[in-house]
Amino acid sequence: MQKILKLMIVEDEYLIALDLQMQLRRLGYEVCELAASGEDALRIAQQEGPELVLMDLNLAGSMDGLAAGQELAARYGIPVAFISGYADQDTLAQIGRFSPLPCMFKPVDGREIHAVIRTYLDGGD
């Protein structure tokens, strides 16, 4: 039996986070408590130990998604796939240097999420 992958969603727009959570659960993934800020993400990661994080770039709180993702990777070794409504070329370049996983753009659908997760599982981390 294949192990179920445990994911964390970091998104400050609650309805988007709930939609992502439902899509991931329909795909058969376990989802940690939802995080709305980088600070929440660090706390939840320590408590629940996700294997992969889906991280919005713009978050509530003092930490943006890129900083939170870098901190999650440094502290816990957790890979991060970023989600954004918009990202300029400089931001995309920063993401590319930090994460080998592709950046997803809102609105994100289940097929796109599943493709990014498959990239991670196939060695994209």
Side-chain angles (χ1 to χ4, degrees):
M1 186 167 128
Q2 185 177 3
K3 180 181 175 294
I4 296 174
L5 188 66
K6 188 174 194 178
L7 306 170
M8 181 168 57
I9 299 166
V10 186
E11 168 62 67
D12 63 345
E13 294 183 48
Y14 187 66
L15 292 177
I16 292 174
L18 281 179
D19 179 58
L20 289 170
Q21 182 182 51
M22 286 188 308
Q23 289 185 60
L24 290 168
R25 286 184 173 159
R26 274 196 301 268
L27 290 167
Y29 299 108
E30 182 180 347
V31 181
C32 297
E33 176 186 345
L34 297 175
S37 68
E39 295 82 4
D40 287 345
L42 293 171
R43 176 185 52 79
I44 293 166
Q46 182 179 26
Q47 293 171 347
E48 298 193 36
E51 297 166 78
L52 177 66
V53 175
L54 304 178
M55 173 83 67
D56 187 23
L57 285 173
N58 296 310
L59 298 173
S62 63
M63 197 182 269
D64 70 10
L66 193 56
Q70 290 172 332
E71 190 66 25
L72 284 168
R75 281 192 197 182
Y76 307 112
I78 304 170
V80 178
F82 290 97
I83 301 171
S84 181
Y86 170 80
D88 59 57
Q89 290 300 327
D90 290 338
T91 302
L92 290 174
Q94 283 184 296
I95 291 169
R97 285 190 296 276
F98 169 69
S99 175
L101 298 171
C103 183
M104 295 173 279
F105 293 93
K106 295 178 185 175
V108 181
D109 68 28
R111 290 183 311 264
E112 185 178 12
I113 295 169
H114 189 64
V116 168
I117 293 168
R118 293 299 327 159
T119 300
Y120 162 70
L121 291 173
D122 292 341
D125 61 338

